[in-house]
C-alpha cells in the first residue's frame, strides 16, 4: 500500500556503523536509531531499541500514537537495563519512527534523529531535536550562526537508555495523497542542507533512488558520521479503503 526503502552507510570517517533501522512493512512501521558511545557499544543500543519498538507495536492493539510512545518507553528501559553492570554501561541511542495507521501518520522521536514530511511541494521538519542547541541555546537567545559553531550544539538532552528524565516527542498528521516521509540520522541532516534534501525528495524517482542519492550526498560532503535514511512514499496508499 505504500513504498519504503532504507539504507545505512558507515560514512567516510567512522570505523563502525552505530546506526540501525527497520522496515516493518507488515505493520506500516518504520524506525531509525543512532547509537552513541562507541566504547559502550552504541550499535548494540541502537539495534536493541529498534527491535524493542517493533516488538512492542507488533504485540499491541490498537496501534496508534500512544502505542508508539509506549514502545519508545519500553526501548528506553530495555537499553538501560542491558547496560547495567557491563562494559556497555553508558550506551544509548536516538530514535525516530513513523507508524501509518488508517488515515493518520503517527510519529515519535527521542534525541536528534529526524522525521521530515513532504507534500504540495513543501518540506517540513516535523520532529523537534532534543539537543542543547534546540532546547537550551535558542531559549538563551543565541543566534543560529553562533549555534552552528557552539561546542554544545550536538549534546543530547534526551537519549534512549541514557537519560534520567526520558521524554518522547509525539505527533499525529492526517495523510495526504502526495505525502512523502524521510526518517534520518544526524549523519545526513547535519551535512546535507534542507534545500538539497527537499530537491531530492520531491523528484519523481523511486524511494530507493532517493535514499541512495541522500546517502551519497552525505558522503560527498565528507561523511563525518554514519548516515541512515528511510524514505516512504504514500502516493499509492489507499485512503479510501482505510476510511471505509
Amino acid at each position: 500500500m505504500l513504498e519504503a526503502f532504507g539504507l545505512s552507510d558507515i560514512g567516510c570517517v567512522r570505523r563502525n556503523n552505530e546506526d540501525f533501522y527497520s522496515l516493518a512493512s507488515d505493520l506500516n512501521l518504520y524506525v531509525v536509531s543512532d547509537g552513541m558511545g562507541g566504547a559502550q557499544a552504541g550499535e548494540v543500543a541502537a539495534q536493541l531499541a529498534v527491535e524493542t519498538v517493533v516488538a512492542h507495536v507488533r504485540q499491541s492493539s490498537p496501534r496508534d500514537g500512544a502505542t508508539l510512545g509506549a514502545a519508545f518507553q519500553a526501548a528506553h528501559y530495555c537499553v538501560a537495563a542491558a547496560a547495567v553492570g557491563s562494559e556497555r554501561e553508558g550506551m544509548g541511542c536516538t530514535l525516530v519512527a513513523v507508524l501509518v495507521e488508517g488515515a493518520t501518520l503517527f510519529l515519535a522521536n527521542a534525541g536528534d534523529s529526524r522525521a521530515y514530511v513532504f507534500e504540495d511541494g513543501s518540506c517540513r521538519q516535523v520532529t523537534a531535536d532534543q539537543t542543547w542547541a534546540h532546547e537550551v541555546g535558542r531559549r538563551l537567545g543565541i543566534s543560529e550562526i553562533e549555534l552552528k559553531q557552539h561546542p554544545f550544539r550536538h549534546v543530547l538532552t534526551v537519549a534512549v537508555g541514557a537519560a534520567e528524565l526520558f521524554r518522547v516527542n509525539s505527533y499525529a498528521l492526517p495523510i495526504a495523497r502526495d505525502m512523502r516521509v524521510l526518517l534520518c540520522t544526524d549523519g545526513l541532516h547535519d551535512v546535507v542542507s534542507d534545500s538539497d534534501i527537499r530537491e531530492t525528495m520531491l523528484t519523481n524517482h523511486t524511494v530507493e533512488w532517493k535514499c541512495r542519492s541522500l546517502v551519497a550526498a552525505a558522503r560527498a560532503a565528507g561523511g563525518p558520521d554514519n548516515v541512515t535514511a528511510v524514505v516512504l512514499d504514500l502516493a499509492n496508499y489507499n485512503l479510501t479503503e482505510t476510511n471505509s
Side-chain angles (χ1 to χ4, degrees), residues 50-90:
V50 169
E51 290 178 347
T52 300
V53 168
V54 173
H56 186 94
V57 173
R58 189 177 300 282
Q59 296 166 6
S60 300
S61 181
R63 295 170 182 151
D64 53 20
T67 303
L68 199 53
F72 272 49
Q73 293 285 349
H76 173 62
Y77 295 132
C78 282
V79 173
V84 173
S86 74
E87 69 279 4
R88 299 168 181 167
E89 190 167 354

Side-chain angles (χ1 to χ4, degrees), residues 109-179:
N109 81 292
D112 63 354
S113 290
R114 293 179 178 176
Y116 294 84
V117 168
F118 305 80
E119 57 181 324
D120 297 325
S122 67
C123 165
R124 176 162 59 110
Q125 178 188 334
V126 175
T127 54
D129 295 344
Q130 292 176 326
T131 60
W132 185 93
H134 179 72
E135 296 190 341
V136 180
R138 287 192 174 96
R139 292 178 184 175
L140 293 175
I142 300 175
S143 71
E144 293 300 318
I145 294 176
E146 290 177 300
L147 283 176
K148 288 181 179 180
Q149 304 299 323
H150 200 284
F152 294 164
R153 66 189 181 280
H154 293 308
V155 174
L156 297 178
T157 53
V158 173
V160 176
E164 292 185 9
L165 298 175
F166 183 67
R167 294 178 285 111
V168 181
N169 293 333
S170 299
Y171 314 84
L173 303 175
I175 294 175
R177 292 193 179 277
D178 68 337
M179 188 174 279

Side-chain angles (χ1 to χ4, degrees), residues 167-214:
R167 294 178 285 111
V168 181
N169 293 333
S170 299
Y171 314 84
L173 303 175
I175 294 175
R177 292 193 179 277
D178 68 337
M179 188 174 279
R180 297 162 184 178
V181 179
L182 168 66
L183 306 180
C184 66
T185 58
D186 62 348
L188 175 61
H189 66 70
D190 262 4
V191 296
V192 181
S193 69
D194 283 357
S195 60
D196 286 343
I197 290 174
R198 174 184 176 277
E199 183 177 348
T200 298
M201 286 293 296
L202 292 178
T203 66
N204 291 322
H205 292 291
T206 65
V207 289
E208 179 177 353
W209 183 94
K210 291 168 186 172
C211 254
R212 295 192 183 281
S213 296
L214 290 169

Side-chain angles (χ1 to χ4, degrees), residues 14 16 18 34-45 87-93 156 162:
R14 298 296 177 88
N16 63 317
E18 295 187 326
D34 182 354
M36 59 181 231
Q40 287 78 38
E43 65 272 20
V44 174
E87 69 279 4
R88 299 168 181 167
E89 190 167 354
M91 71 178 180
C93 62
L156 297 178

